[in-house]
Amino acid sequence: KNEVEQSPQNLTAQEEEFITINCSYSVGISALHWLQQHPGGGIVSLFMLSSGKKKHGRLIATINIQEKHSSLHITASHPRDSAVYICAVRSRTGNQFYFGTGTSLTVIP
Amino acid sequence: GAVVSQHPSRVICKSGTSVKIECRSLDFQATTMFWYRQFPKQSLMLMATSNEGSKATYEQGVEKDKFLINHASLTLSTLTVTSAHPEDSSFYICSVGGAYNEQFFGPGTRLTVL
């Protein structure tokens, strides 16, 4: 069983749709990261969360520590949002990172 | 945030040769850097944690004698894939840990072993 589970694996949306990607984890964490990986491979860190909610532009990330669950929302989606979104957690006990398998998002014009 | 570079961005080598990949933190002194590997259609896998001035900590299943890590300064860590084989072909990514648990990722190095 993976320490980090993401859903859905693949997602196709129409432009302007509201998108939600979910992440559940099973270990105690010090932080949860949402990452964006474009087809060329480069990775950008979107959010780092340890509690509550963060917003950056059209992106919103929430985390519920008690339920060990986080969501990434994209409002008014755009084709340039097409990418793989990866949830990663850093263990509370040390430098261990666990990664979800990613959600491949395609936004159609 | 920190700017992280990797060199080379792509490398093709013959089986049996060694390949060195550099990870540089351009504007941040990084006591800790992380090395990941990503196979096609899969997520990242942490290979090792590189600590400046000391030995790297390898994840279970990663051969330390095959993947040599040197973190000689606060701005440079190197990963050397020794005696590379086709199954080592992968996308190698480094990241730098920030002061507040942030992670800043390099652009990655795509290794192809023929």
Side-chain angles (χ1 to χ4, degrees), chain A residues 27-38:
Chain A
V27 297
I29 68 168
S30 60
L32 181 144
H33 300 256
W34 280 103
L35 312 173
Q36 181 191 54
Q37 185 173 31
H38 279 280

Side-chain angles (χ1 to χ4, degrees), chain A:
Chain A
K1 185 186 182 301
N2 291 333
E3 288 83 358
V4 180
E5 300 276 359
Q6 277 184 246
S7 64
Q9 271 192 306
N10 297 285
L11 181 57
T12 301
Q14 288 290 132
E15 189 171 357
E16 292 293 320
E17 267 190 54
F18 179 83
I19 288 162
T20 296
I21 300 171
N22 295 299
C23 174
S24 296
Y25 54 92
S26 58
V27 297
I29 68 168
S30 60
L32 181 144
H33 300 256
W34 280 103
L35 312 173
Q36 181 191 54
Q37 185 173 31
H38 279 280
I43 292 175
V44 173
S45 180
L46 299 174
F47 292 104
M48 186 190 71
L49 295 162
S50 53
S51 66
K53 176 180 174 178
K54 285 190 177 180
K55 185 176 189 294
H56 186 252
R58 295 180 294 106
L59 302 178
I60 302 166
T62 63
I63 187 169
N64 184 317
I65 298 292
Q66 285 73 31
E67 294 185 5
K68 295 189 174 178
H69 181 270
S70 175
S71 293
L72 176 69
H73 306 286
I74 304 175
T75 60
S77 60
H78 190 275
R80 64 174 174 266
D81 297 326
S82 299
V84 175
Y85 292 83
I86 301 169
C87 173
V89 300
R90 183 172 186 165
S91 68
R92 188 188 302 136
T93 55
N95 276 334
Q96 286 174 299
F97 274 97
Y98 301 99
F99 293 86
T101 52
T103 295
S104 179
L105 171 66
T106 303
V107 181
I108 300 170

Side-chain angles (χ1 to χ4, degrees), chain B:
Chain B
V3 177
V4 181
S5 71
Q6 281 184 241
H7 178 80
S9 57
R10 288 180 178 272
V11 57
I12 300 172
C13 69
K14 290 182 179 179
S15 187
T17 60
S18 293
V19 175
K20 180 186 282 188
I21 302 170
E22 293 184 348
C23 176
R24 290 185 186 271
S25 175
L26 299 182
D27 57 353
F28 182 80
Q29 292 190 321
T31 54
T32 304
M33 291 184 177
F34 302 89
W35 285 98
Y36 308 87
R37 182 168 52 182
Q38 185 179 36
F39 292 107
K41 304 290 185 185
Q42 295 186 25
S43 193
L44 288 84
M45 284 177 43
L46 179 65
M47 298 176 67
T49 303
S50 168
N51 303 298
E52 187 266 337
S54 65
K55 289 183 180 179
T57 304
Y58 290 81
E59 295 298 302
Q60 195 171 8
V62 178
E63 299 174 55
K64 63 181 182 187
D65 295 328
K66 180 166 181 64
F67 298 99
L68 301 178
I69 291 173
N70 185 283
H71 192 158
S73 77
L74 289 171
T75 59
L76 174 65
S77 175
T78 60
L79 169 68
T80 301
V81 184
T82 62
S83 186
H85 287 277
E87 57 265 29
D88 298 323
S89 298
S90 187
F91 191 58
Y92 292 86
I93 306 169
C94 71
S95 74
V96 167
Y100 302 103
N101 273 342
E102 321 98 297
Q103 286 296 308
F104 305 104
F105 289 84
T109 296
R110 191 163 301 283
L111 170 64
T112 303
V113 184
L114 302 176

